[in-house]
Amino acid sequence: MGVGAGDVESPLLHALPAVRRTGTVWTAAAHIITGVVGSGVLSLAWSMAQLGWIAGPLAMLCFASITLVSTFLLCDCYRSPHPEFGPARNRSYLEAVHTTLGKSKAFLGGLFVQVGLYGTSIAYVVASDTSMRAIQKSNCYHKQGREAACEYEGTLYILLFGAVQLVLSQLPDFHNIQWLSILAAIMSFAYSIIGFALGFAQVIGNGYVKGTIAGVTAYSAADKLWKVSQAIGDIAFAFPYSLIVMEIQV
């Protein structure tokens, strides 16, 4: 999308070169699908099993509501001083904070953003390592049987994923990786459909829907607390859309 005649940039960007807005509805849709249907959905089935049929759906609704409210608030901060007519545009969360609350609050907000991105990056690295080792384990079980000792180290996958992140982080603009978001959107639909189909086939094979009100039983209270905490973290990880909504609008 091109810059309109009445559009101006945030005051924070006066020293920066003008950026031509090249996004389209299709690229924005790809970014949104990638953000909403992220890799976190793969662990939702396990998380629901740990939390049970009451706490599981409530946790999902809670994090979905937080994401929805955060998205609406961030969308209202994209233009300033008026949330709809602008005329100034804020390209990122930090610019919106700087424009709305001032320089000191922007510094504090930047600290929280960096901590959040650091935690998110760790979560994606761990998720990629877990996924690759799960593929290796699945292949090993198919070849050697379920009783085989199929354990693998994840250091190599962590290093490889970190190297890819390091390279992609050098790209100057979010929209320079449109091709990656389009590919990720296709993959998101693919693994979501595959996961649903496998779960549906399992229900048909069992003849009923498994699960309990309190979730899967554990060996001890500490083990149950750890699994519940991990399940809540996985559900929170499945709702990352508000992290990128400002960049999508650019």
Side-chain angles (χ1 to χ4, degrees):
M1 293 175 286
V3 178
D7 294 338
V8 297
E9 300 293 349
S10 168
L12 184 62
L13 300 173
H14 284 166
L16 298 178
V19 176
R20 181 171 176 267
R21 301 173 65 235
T22 58
T24 65
V25 174
W26 292 106
T27 57
H31 293 317
I32 292 172
I33 292 172
T34 303
V36 174
V37 191
S39 59
V41 300
L42 297 175
S43 61
L44 290 181
W46 181 88
S47 301
M48 289 286 292
Q50 303 305 315
L51 296 175
W53 285 113
I54 295 180
L58 287 178
M60 290 186 64
L61 287 174
C62 176
F63 285 108
S65 300
I66 293 173
T67 301
L68 183 63
V69 173
S70 300
T71 301
F72 280 136
L73 292 175
L74 289 172
C75 287
D76 286 340
C77 294
Y78 173 58
R79 285 180 175 269
S80 61
H82 192 279
E84 185 175 354
F85 302 107
R89 294 178 185 270
N90 298 302
R91 299 182 193 170
S92 67
Y93 172 78
L94 292 183
E95 292 171 19
V97 174
H98 183 277
T99 303
T100 307
L101 301 178
K103 184 176 180 180
S104 60
K105 297 296 190 302
F107 177 80
L108 183 61
L111 178 63
F112 285 112
V113 167
Q114 295 302 321
V115 172
L117 291 176
Y118 180 76
T120 304
S121 298
I122 292 176
Y124 274 108
V125 169
V126 172
S128 64
D129 164 53
T130 303
S131 300
M132 294 303 297
R133 287 191 291 114
I135 293 174
Q136 280 192 308
K137 283 185 178 182
S138 177
N139 292 334
C140 177
Y141 288 144
H142 280 295
K143 293 178 180 179
Q144 303 180 25
R146 298 294 301 181
E147 302 301 326
C150 299
E151 296 295 333
Y152 299 93
E153 289 291 333
T155 306
L156 177 61
Y157 299 121
I158 290 175
L159 292 175
L160 289 175
F161 190 81
V164 173
Q165 282 189 313
L166 186 62
V167 172
L168 291 179
S169 65
Q170 305 308 311
L171 295 173
D173 186 75
F174 186 75
H175 296 285
N176 286 338
I177 54 173
Q178 294 176 358
W179 61 270
L180 185 60
S181 285
I182 294 173
L183 177 62
I186 296 173
M187 294 176 63
S188 297
F189 274 118
Y191 60 61
S192 297
I193 293 173
I194 291 172
F196 174 79
L198 290 174
F200 189 70
Q202 190 69 34
V203 171
I204 294 176
N206 294 333
Y208 61 94
V209 178
K210 291 186 176 181
T212 61
I213 299 298
V216 176
T217 56
Y219 296 107
S220 63
D223 184 52
K224 180 64 176 179
L225 178 62
W226 171 256
K227 289 184 177 180
V228 167
S229 300
Q230 186 177 354
I232 294 175
D234 288 342
I235 293 175
F237 177 59
F239 292 93
Y241 174 58
S242 58
L243 293 174
I244 59 174
V245 64
M246 293 291 287
E247 283 74 11
I248 290 176
Q249 294 182 94
V250 174

